[in-house]
Amino acid sequence: MHPTVYRLAGVALVVGTILVAPFSARAQDASSVEIHDNYFSPAEIHVPEGGTVTWTNLGGSHSVTSDDGVSFDSSPNCSTLPLAQCMVDGETFQQQFRVPETITYHCRIHGSAMVGTVVVDPVTTTTTSTTLQPTTTTAEDPSSTTIASDQSTFVTQPLPSPSPTSRVAALPKSIIRNRQTDELRPWVIADVVIAGTTTLVGIALVRRGRVPFG
C-alpha cells in the first residue's frame, strides 16, 4: 500500500477520535433513568455531588416521587382514580442533587412495586498546605573568625596596630636619647680629658718643685 494511504488513514483516525470523544464523554456523564410500565431502568443510579438526573417516561402514567415526600416529586397530584396529572408517555422530569446523600423514590401509581434509588457521591478535593519558615540572616564581621564546636565558640580578633607614639612610650627610659645631649657629649668628654691632663701635669710639677704659677 502506498505511504500516502497510511498517512490519510492516520489523519482520519485522529480526526475521528477528536469528534467522537466529546459525545462519548457526554454519554458517560449523562445521568438518566428510563420509566417503563412497572420499573425504573436503572433501578439504582450514581450521580456526583451537584449532578442532575433526568427521568424519561416511555409508557403509561407514572410519577417520580421521593419516599420522604419532600426531596422531589414530578407529579404531586398524580392519583390512581382517576388517572390524572401524572407523567405521560414521552414526558421528562429533572432533579439536581447538591449534597451527598442516598434517596429512594417510587411511582405513585405502582407504589412499592416500582421503586428506585439515587446515590449522590461526594466530590473529593485535594488540598495542599504549604508552611513558610522564617529565614533569619546574620551579618558576619569579616575581621573575626568563628569556629563552631559542640558547646563552645572560639573567636579570633585582629591584633591592634601600634601608633608611632605608642612605640616611643614603650621603650625604656634609658634607651630614649636626647639629640642636644648627644651633640654636646664629645665636647664634655674633651673638656674632662683636658682638665684631667692639666691636673696630672700640675701635680707632677709641684712634686718636682716647679710651680707653674707665679
Side-chain angles (χ1 to χ4, degrees), residues 33-36 40 54-65 72-79 83-94 105-110 114:
V33 178
E34 295 179 351
I35 304 175
H36 294 274
F40 296 102
T54 301
W55 287 266
T56 302
N57 188 5
L58 299 181
S61 297
H62 301 283
S63 74
V64 179
T65 307
F72 56 87
D73 193 346
S74 65
S75 310
N77 297 321
C78 177
S79 61
L83 291 175
Q85 299 184 10
C86 301
M87 292 181 65
V88 296
D89 190 8
E91 188 175 356
T92 61
F93 170 71
Q94 290 184 335
Y105 62 95
H106 62 276
C107 172
R108 285 181 176 270
I109 303 299
H110 298 83
M114 188 174 177

Side-chain angles (χ1 to χ4, degrees), residues 16 57-59 67 93 103 106 131 134 143 158 192 194 208 213:
N57 188 5
L58 299 181
D67 289 349
F93 170 71
I103 300 178
H106 62 276
T131 303
S143 62
V192 171
I194 294 173
R208 293 181 181 182
F213 305 103

Side-chain angles (χ1 to χ4, degrees), residues 20-170:
V20 173
F23 295 100
S24 299
R26 291 179 183 176
Q28 293 176 359
D29 294 341
S31 299
S32 60
V33 178
E34 295 179 351
I35 304 175
H36 294 274
D37 289 340
N38 57 356
Y39 65 93
F40 296 102
S41 179
E44 179 177 314
I45 187 170
H46 286 257
V47 61
E49 180 181 355
T52 301
V53 178
T54 301
W55 287 266
T56 302
N57 188 5
L58 299 181
S61 297
H62 301 283
S63 74
V64 179
T65 307
S66 61
D67 289 349
D68 59 12
V70 295
S71 295
F72 56 87
D73 193 346
S74 65
S75 310
N77 297 321
C78 177
S79 61
T80 57
L81 295 175
L83 291 175
Q85 299 184 10
C86 301
M87 292 181 65
V88 296
D89 190 8
E91 188 175 356
T92 61
F93 170 71
Q94 290 184 335
Q95 176 66 33
Q96 185 179 19
F97 298 89
R98 303 181 182 277
V99 295
E101 58 183 343
T102 299
I103 300 178
T104 56
Y105 62 95
H106 62 276
C107 172
R108 285 181 176 270
I109 303 299
H110 298 83
S112 60
M114 188 174 177
V115 296
T117 303
V118 177
V119 180
V120 184
D121 298 320
V123 178
T124 58
T125 58
T126 303
T127 304
T128 303
S129 178
T130 304
T131 303
L132 299 179
Q133 296 294 339
T135 303
T136 304
T137 303
T138 304
E140 297 183 356
D141 186 0
S143 62
S144 63
T145 302
T146 302
I147 302 175
S149 62
D150 291 341
Q151 297 180 351
S152 62
T153 302
F154 177 74
V155 180
T156 303
Q157 296 292 344
L159 295 175
S161 299
S163 61
T165 305
S166 63
R167 291 181 180 178
V168 175

